[in-house]
């Protein structure tokens, strides 16, 4: 048993052929499903990924009151939270847009 990742083996099930690809790092980018993907790929591992899901929505809106004059002063971000864990964020953007994350 090795202590470091040095390669991964991929099984082509239609041809019953194994390929080995050298690597020292593996990136799993499945968002909230990353732990499930990791556990499927490495069922004997005790490692738990520090990823959790957070339901939310985001939207981009335009304001007729936000123009080049305000953009010249710079864009801003507002981060909020409450006791229940609701954490909306609002970002001003160039071009008159506002990004609102309702997570």
């Amino acid at each position: 048993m090795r202590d470091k990742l040095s390669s991964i083996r991929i099984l082509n099930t239609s041809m019953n052929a194994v390929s080995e690809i050298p690597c020292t790092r593996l990136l799993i980018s499945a968002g909230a499903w990353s732990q499930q993907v990791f556990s499927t790929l490495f069922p004997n591992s005790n490692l738990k990924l520090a990823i959790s899901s957070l339901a939310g929505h985001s939207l981009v809106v335009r304001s007729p009151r936000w123009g080049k004059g305000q953009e010249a002063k710079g864009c801003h971000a507002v981060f909020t939270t409450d006791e229940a864990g609701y954490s909306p964020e609002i970002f001003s953007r160039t071009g008159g847009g506002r990004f609102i994350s309702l997570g």
Side-chain angles (χ1 to χ4, degrees):
M1 185 165 170
R2 295 181 249 179
D3 292 336
K4 287 182 163 184
L5 180 64
S6 60
S7 65
I8 59 171
R9 289 186 184 149
I10 300 173
L11 172 62
N12 181 332
T13 55
S14 63
M15 298 176 58
N16 200 25
V18 176
S19 300
E20 188 161 326
I21 301 172
C23 70
T24 56
R25 293 193 171 112
L26 179 65
L27 174 66
I28 297 175
S29 55
W33 298 273
S34 293
Q35 180 62 52
Q36 182 180 353
V37 170
F38 180 83
S39 296
T40 301
L41 293 173
F42 305 100
N44 297 327
S45 176
N46 293 325
L47 180 68
K48 298 295 178 208
L49 303 181
I51 296 175
S52 62
S53 62
L54 177 64
H57 302 280
S58 62
L59 38 115
V60 176
V61 296
R62 292 198 180 277
S63 170
R65 294 183 295 267
W66 184 260
K68 295 213 180 278
Q70 286 81 10
E71 286 180 12
K73 297 176 185 175
C75 294
H76 300 84
V78 177
F79 301 93
T80 62
T81 192
D82 67 11
E83 294 84 21
Y86 179 68
S87 304
E89 302 169 359
I90 303 170
F91 300 87
S92 60
R93 297 168 57 162
T94 58
R98 300 278 194 287
F99 174 81
I100 303 171
S101 172
L102 305 170

